């Protein structure tokens, strides 16, 4: 079935370090791909998205490229801040006739000064 | 727009009591989702509605859980009777056809 696999957390980094959170997917058809972020005590919010192969989504210094050949959508940021500490969820939506998001398990990022 | 509104924000109840969680989606959105989040099980989709009709309720844990959407601006998730293992944060989210899902702030439920 359709699924999303994320790297286990927590990911612990020092401020200004480079971040990569891996995400791979399995899907029939051509999904749209998303990264959502959940800050402590809040609901999830969309961070970025990509709707077709080779698209790059970007927001707040984060970016991810839709790689169809490797079925991946890895999240990257060149220099993390303490305020980026949160849980990051990779997700997909199948492009036909559904609004249902399929989420990964989430990866907790902790950034220390 | 005020975003997705959920009430109450916190609920503490005793085992066996009925619990009702409420959600007001963003005006104009036509799909609504109820999720549950716990440390053990992560984020789980319980049920989703499209145009007020339940489309997928395969995530509803058991008959103690029920959800309704009587109109486009209101939905409820009811647990009767509640059990300690139902303790979690319950999120409501809404979307307009295939676009970004907007999440509410969640209801933190504690069942003693």
């Amino acid at each position: 079935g359709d699924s999303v696999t994320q790297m286990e957390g927590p990911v612990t980094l020092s401020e200004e370090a480079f971040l990569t959170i891996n995400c791979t997917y399995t899907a029939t058809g051509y999904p749209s791909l998303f990264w959502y972020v959940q800050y402590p005590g809040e609901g999830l919010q969309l961070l970025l998205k990509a709707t077709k192969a080779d698209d790059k989504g970007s927001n707040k210094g984060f970016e991810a490229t839709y790689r169809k050949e490797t079925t991946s959508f890895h999240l990257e940021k060149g220099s993390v801040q303490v305020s980026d500490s949160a849980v990051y969820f990779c997700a997909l939506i199948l492009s036909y006739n559904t609004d249902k998001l399929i989420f990964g398990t989430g990866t907790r990022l902790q950034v220390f000064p | 727009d005020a975003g997705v509104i959920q009430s109450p924000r916190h609920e503490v109840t005793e085992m066996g009591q009925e619990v009702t969680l409420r959600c007001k989606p963003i005006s104009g959105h036509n799909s609504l989702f109820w999720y549950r989040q716990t440390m053990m099980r992560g984020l789980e989709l319980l049920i989703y509605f499209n145009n007020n009709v339940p489309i997928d309720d395969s995530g509803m844990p058991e008959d103690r859980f029920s959800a309704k959407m009587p109109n486009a601006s209101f939905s409820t998730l009811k647990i009767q009777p509640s059990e300690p293992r139902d303790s979690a944060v319950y999120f409501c989210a809404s979307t307009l056809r295939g676009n970004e899902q907007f999440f509410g702030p969640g209801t933190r439920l504690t069942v003693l």
Side-chain angles (χ1 to χ4, degrees):
Chain A
D2 305 308
S3 65
V4 174
T5 302
Q6 290 182 235
M7 63 189 289
E8 294 275 337
V11 174
T12 303
L13 295 172
S14 298
E15 206 164 25
E16 300 183 2
F18 184 85
L19 168 71
T20 300
I21 300 178
N22 290 338
C23 170
T24 57
Y25 67 89
T26 302
T28 52
Y30 303 96
S32 294
L33 301 174
F34 303 81
W35 277 100
Y36 280 78
V37 59
Q38 184 180 28
Y39 297 105
E42 299 182 10
L44 282 71
Q45 56 186 273
L46 181 67
L47 180 60
L48 54 84
K49 68 178 182 182
T51 57
K52 61 183 187 296
D54 300 325
D55 269 2
K56 178 185 284 188
S58 61
N59 186 25
K60 298 182 181 180
F62 292 88
E63 56 184 35
T65 301
Y66 188 144
R67 302 284 188 201
K68 188 168 182 294
E69 63 277 13
T70 54
T71 63
S72 64
F73 193 54
H74 305 320
L75 183 68
E76 296 182 335
K77 186 175 186 183
S79 176
V80 294
Q81 305 300 312
V82 173
S83 57
D84 294 326
S85 298
V87 180
Y88 293 81
F89 292 88
C90 186
L92 68 83
I93 188 169
L94 296 169
S95 56
Y96 54 91
N97 202 32
T98 180
D99 290 328
K100 180 178 174 180
L101 276 170
I102 297 171
F103 282 97
T105 53
T107 302
R108 181 175 299 278
L109 170 65
Q110 297 175 323
V111 181
F112 293 96
Chain B
D1 201 318
V4 176
I5 299 172
Q6 292 187 245
S7 64
R9 292 294 310 276
H10 302 274
E11 176 81 27
V12 180
T13 191
E14 293 188 345
M15 183 173 63
Q17 296 299 304
E18 177 179 298
V19 174
T20 299
L21 310 182
R22 297 173 176 80
C23 176
K24 176 177 168 55
I26 291 173
S27 177
H29 283 190
N30 60 355
S31 289
L32 182 141
F33 305 80
W34 283 101
Y35 294 90
R36 178 173 68 178
Q37 187 176 40
T38 62
M39 290 294 292
M40 290 296 293
R41 295 186 298 269
L43 187 68
E44 304 171 279
L45 176 65
L46 300 178
I47 185 170
Y48 102 84
F49 296 85
N50 182 252
N51 293 325
N52 312 337
V53 175
I55 302 300
D56 183 349
D57 65 355
S58 59
M60 294 287 263
E62 48 199 274
D63 291 346
R64 297 185 298 104
F65 285 69
S66 63
K68 294 182 179 179
M69 191 163 187
N71 58 62
S73 59
F74 184 66
S75 177
T76 59
L77 178 68
K78 185 176 294 186
I79 308 172
Q80 166 63 16
S82 58
E83 296 183 3
R85 61 194 169 114
D86 301 332
S87 297
V89 181
Y90 290 82
F91 290 103
C92 177
S94 69
T95 188
L96 177 62
R97 200 51 178 175
N99 290 309
E100 171 186 357
Q101 282 191 23
F102 290 83
F103 281 72
T107 295
R108 181 173 296 276
L109 173 65
T110 303
V111 183
L112 302 174

